[in-house]
Amino acid sequence: MIERLEELAREEYIARHSSDEPDVLREITREANFSLTHPRMVSGHIQGLFLTIMTRLIRPERVLEIGTFVGYATICLAKGLPESGRLTTIEVNDELRQRIERNLEKAGVSDKVELRIGDALEVLDSLEIESFGLVYLDANKAQYPEYYEILSGRLPKGALILADNTLWGGKLWRGEYHDPQTEGIRRFNQMVADDARVDKVLMPVRDGLTMIRIK
């Protein structure tokens, strides 16, 4: 209980010393907590700010997001795009389509975002991966290694991959966890660590965020 109170105090302190969360994003989080089974999948205020700032720094013309959920991170990425920039986002769950489209419209970024519904591995086959300067990876954790094989082999030099949940709640270094999601993240993390073609750093942001730059 004391540890949880300390964590909440830390989160509040971080939020108070960062840019404010836009009202539309706060509303999206509130709706997800009220109506969805896994609201923790929403990226959240601080990680969302990080995505926006990183996009503004990199200024990519094209961004790819794998795993949309309700569109919180999508909006944050789109807000950071240059005027001519465009974002393609992939979501497997067609039941979320209307919610995503509504959220993008409310945030005023619909004209910058192309939503693709389908299995990410199949959709990736139809995309020109070489055209993306930034990729945000936050989909099926069991398939992270497969996503990485495709992305790392086709992204241009200097492109950046941001992979979410790479600490996976602390399960990775505990021997009793062998479910497909945990094993997928373990394999992915090791693949990235062993890959001499990229610069990488795993940061303790939220549930772990790995930055991977194609050399």
Side-chain angles (χ1 to χ4, degrees), residues 54-71:
M54 285 300 300
T55 309
R56 285 178 178 157
L57 286 171
I58 298 168
R59 295 186 61 79
E61 283 298 319
R62 296 197 65 196
V63 172
L64 173 63
E65 179 185 37
I66 306 176
T68 318
F69 193 44
V70 296

Side-chain angles (χ1 to χ4, degrees), residues 1-201:
M1 184 59 153
I2 294 175
E3 289 182 359
R4 179 55 181 159
L5 290 174
E6 180 66 23
E7 181 183 349
L8 290 171
R10 178 175 177 270
E11 291 176 0
E12 182 184 352
Y13 184 87
I14 291 170
R16 281 193 287 109
H17 292 81
S18 302
S19 297
D20 292 336
E21 183 179 30
D23 290 341
V24 64
L25 293 178
R26 191 177 298 112
E27 182 181 341
I28 288 170
T29 300
R30 185 166 55 246
E31 288 178 352
N33 278 297
F34 179 75
S35 60
L36 295 175
T37 307
H38 301 291
R40 284 195 52 150
M41 290 171 62
V42 174
S43 294
H45 177 201
I46 301 305
Q47 188 155 317
L49 282 173
F50 179 82
L51 294 176
T52 300
I53 292 172
M54 285 300 300
T55 309
R56 285 178 178 157
L57 286 171
I58 298 168
R59 295 186 61 79
E61 283 298 319
R62 296 197 65 196
V63 172
L64 173 63
E65 179 185 37
I66 306 176
T68 318
F69 193 44
V70 296
Y72 190 108
T74 316
I75 293 166
C76 295
L77 291 163
K79 290 287 189 183
L81 284 171
E83 186 63 32
S84 58
R86 294 294 180 267
L87 185 153
T88 299
T89 185
I90 306 170
E91 173 55 46
V92 69
N93 186 357
D94 191 39
E95 293 182 359
L96 291 172
R97 182 196 297 267
Q98 289 186 338
R99 184 189 291 259
I100 294 166
E101 292 176 344
R102 183 175 67 249
N103 288 340
L104 297 177
E105 185 69 30
K106 285 192 296 187
V109 298
S110 294
D111 61 330
K112 287 183 172 291
V113 179
E114 175 195 19
L115 172 62
R116 298 279 195 101
I117 299 294
D119 179 86
L121 291 175
E122 295 178 4
V123 176
L124 286 173
D125 281 341
S126 68
L127 295 177
E128 188 181 347
I129 303 298
E130 294 81 2
S131 68
F132 294 102
L134 173 63
V135 178
Y136 180 54
L137 178 56
D138 189 19
N140 183 352
K141 313 309 171 190
Q143 292 183 333
Y144 266 36
E146 285 78 8
Y147 302 145
Y148 185 69
E149 285 184 2
I150 294 170
L151 296 171
S152 62
R154 295 177 57 189
L155 285 170
K157 180 180 178 180
L160 186 68
I161 303 171
L162 298 173
D164 197 18
N165 301 115
T166 48
L167 289 178
W168 202 232
K171 293 181 178 180
L172 303 176
W173 48 89
R174 298 175 187 169
E176 67 267 31
Y177 294 102
H178 298 284
D179 58 274
Q181 304 288 315
T182 302
E183 288 296 332
I185 295 289
R186 281 196 183 108
R187 285 180 54 217
F188 170 80
N189 284 347
Q190 196 59 55
M191 287 173 68
V192 174
D194 293 340
D195 192 347
R197 300 170 300 168
V198 300
D199 297 315
K200 56 270 185 176
V201 56

